[in-house]
């Protein structure tokens, strides 16, 4: 059951929902239930959606001005609100508004991040005071990436992505670009050509160029635009890698000038691109475990 926090109630919260990149993503095996064993480093980046939560007293959950392709039935932030409501039996409700900047089906975790920000924000808005670990457990029922965004720190992820260990990484400038197509996760993981036997990590220290993305060859076969985007990165002097199950591609930049130049070259070539930075912690990290805003 939820614990009541003796703080003044707020009526509305406007929250960031940041994207992530996978510095590497290895598939180390396949479980009997069809899910895969993974090893990856997840890093939050400054590209972000906005989630606005407005308290309702009637217990209802509504998505206002739904972005294209989303509804109250399929939006992960709404599903997160319903899951939190069921877990705590709270009588409060919420109106949810989303401003989407993170492309969907892009491997950047946009929907999962929206869900995590909803969990973190509603934990405060509804005065539930649930600990981070409990919010992560609820998030795991919504999607494999949600616990990471609640965790809030760059992390080495194992299992199906739910086993998280914080890692320390230098702040990096990153250029992220979209090929303009979405890639569904299911067809990538079920593809017969997916590499599923990368050996588990034998080291606990690695640099930012470590490893590879085992999903990239299959995703690029399903969406050839990924390879064309990678070629544009290489032509601009960068070393690209796909994030998640696709479709976005990123490259690390040595300095702000290189980031600006790389982004400009990609945009000039017709790609949608962002110059962003990695984050040492999620901007909502302090919103849980007793924090008061």
């Amino acid at each position: 059951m939820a614990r009541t926090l003796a703080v003044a109630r707020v009526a509305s919260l406007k929250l960031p929902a940041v994207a992530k990149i996978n510095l590497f993503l290895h598939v180390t095996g396949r479980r009997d239930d069809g899910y895969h064993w993974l090893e990856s480093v997840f890093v939050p980046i400054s590209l972000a959606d906005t989630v606005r939560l407005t308290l309702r007293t009637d217990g209802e959950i509504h998505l206002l001005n739904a972005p294209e392709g989303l509804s109250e039935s399929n939006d992960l932030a709404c599903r997160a609100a319903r899951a939190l409501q069921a877990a705590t039996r709270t009588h409060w409700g919420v109106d949810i508004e989303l401003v989407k900047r993170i492309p969907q089906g892009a491997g950047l975790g946009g929907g999962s991040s929206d869900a995590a920000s909803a969990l973190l924000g509603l934990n405060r808005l509804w005065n539930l005071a649930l600990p981070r670990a409990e919010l992560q457990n609820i998030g795991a029922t919504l999607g494999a990436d949600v616990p990471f965004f609640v965790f809030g720190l760059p992390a080495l992820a194992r299992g199906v992505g739910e086993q998280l260990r914080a890692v320390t990484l230098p702040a990096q400038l990153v250029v992220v670009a979209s090929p303009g197509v979405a890639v569904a996760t299911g067809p990538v993981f079920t593809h017969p050509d997916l590499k599923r036997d990368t050996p588990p990590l034998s080291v606990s220290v690695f640099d930012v160029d470590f490893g590879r993305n085992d999903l990239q060859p299959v995703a690029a076969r399903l969406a050839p635009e990924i390879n064309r985007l990678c070629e544009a990165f290489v032509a601009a002097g960068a070393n690209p890698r796909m994030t998640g199950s696709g479709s976005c591609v990123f490259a690390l930049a040595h300095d702000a000038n290189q980031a600006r130049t790389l982004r400009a070259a990609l945009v000039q070539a017709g790609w949608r691109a962002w110059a962003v930075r990695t984050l040492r912690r999620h901007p909502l990290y302090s919103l849980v475990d007793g924090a008061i805003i």
Side-chain angles (χ1 to χ4, degrees):
M1 292 294 293
R3 300 188 302 276
T4 301
L5 193 64
V7 298
R9 180 171 301 284
V10 295
S12 182
L13 292 172
K14 183 180 179 182
L15 306 170
V18 299
K20 60 83 179 169
I21 55 173
N22 299 84
L23 292 186
F24 63 87
L25 201 168
H26 297 165
V27 182
T28 60
R30 191 172 191 174
R31 306 191 329 182
D32 292 340
D33 61 5
Y35 285 91
H36 291 75
W37 299 115
L38 307 175
E39 286 185 330
S40 182
V41 165
F42 290 76
V43 183
I45 60 174
S46 57
L47 178 64
D49 294 341
T50 298
V51 180
R52 182 184 290 276
L53 307 172
T54 302
L55 186 68
R56 294 182 66 103
T57 61
D58 58 7
E60 295 190 7
I61 294 168
H62 292 293
L63 180 64
L64 306 184
N65 305 316
E68 183 178 356
L70 296 179
S71 66
E72 290 178 2
S73 62
N74 67 6
D75 174 60
L76 276 175
C78 288
R79 289 178 55 198
R82 289 192 290 269
L84 185 61
Q85 192 181 61
T88 60
R89 300 181 184 176
T90 182
H91 65 278
W92 299 105
V94 66
D95 285 332
I96 300 174
E97 297 176 80
L98 301 176
V99 177
K100 295 293 294 179
R101 301 180 187 89
I102 304 170
Q104 299 182 54
L108 297 172
S112 294
S113 187
D114 294 345
S117 290
L119 289 173
L120 292 164
L122 290 172
N123 193 42
R124 172 66 180 92
L125 194 70
W126 290 344
N127 279 2
L128 300 174
L130 296 183
R132 191 182 309 275
E134 193 163 344
L135 293 174
Q136 286 180 231
N137 289 338
I138 295 171
T141 68
L142 303 165
D145 291 346
V146 181
F148 160 71
F149 289 109
V150 176
F151 184 72
L153 300 170
L156 173 63
R158 288 190 168 100
V160 295
E162 85 289 0
Q163 301 172 25
L164 300 168
R165 180 168 66 84
V167 297
T168 301
L169 296 169
Q172 294 281 329
L173 296 171
V174 181
V175 175
V176 180
S178 169
V181 295
V183 175
T185 300
V188 174
F189 275 103
T190 58
H191 199 283
D193 292 339
L194 176 65
K195 179 177 175 58
R196 298 179 170 91
D197 58 356
T198 295
L201 292 174
S202 59
V203 297
S204 57
V205 178
F206 34 80
D207 61 34
V208 293
D209 293 319
F210 177 84
R212 61 184 177 274
N213 187 336
D214 285 338
L215 308 183
Q216 184 168 341
V218 169
R221 185 176 303 179
L222 298 173
E225 295 88 346
I226 293 172
N227 277 341
R228 291 198 286 273
L229 176 55
C230 287
E231 291 167 358
F233 269 91
V234 172
N239 181 25
R241 182 173 295 175
M242 191 184 77
T243 180
S245 58
S247 60
C248 276
V249 174
F250 71 93
L252 303 178
H254 297 299
D255 52 40
N257 182 62
Q258 185 187 22
R260 286 192 297 267
T261 301
L262 176 56
R263 178 187 177 275
L266 293 168
V267 170
Q268 186 174 11
W271 305 101
R272 187 181 179 199
W274 303 263
V276 300
R277 66 186 186 280
T278 62
L279 303 176
R280 289 192 172 94
R281 68 178 195 170
H282 195 291
L284 302 182
Y285 184 80
S286 62
L287 198 61
V288 73
D289 291 341
I292 299 174
I293 61 172

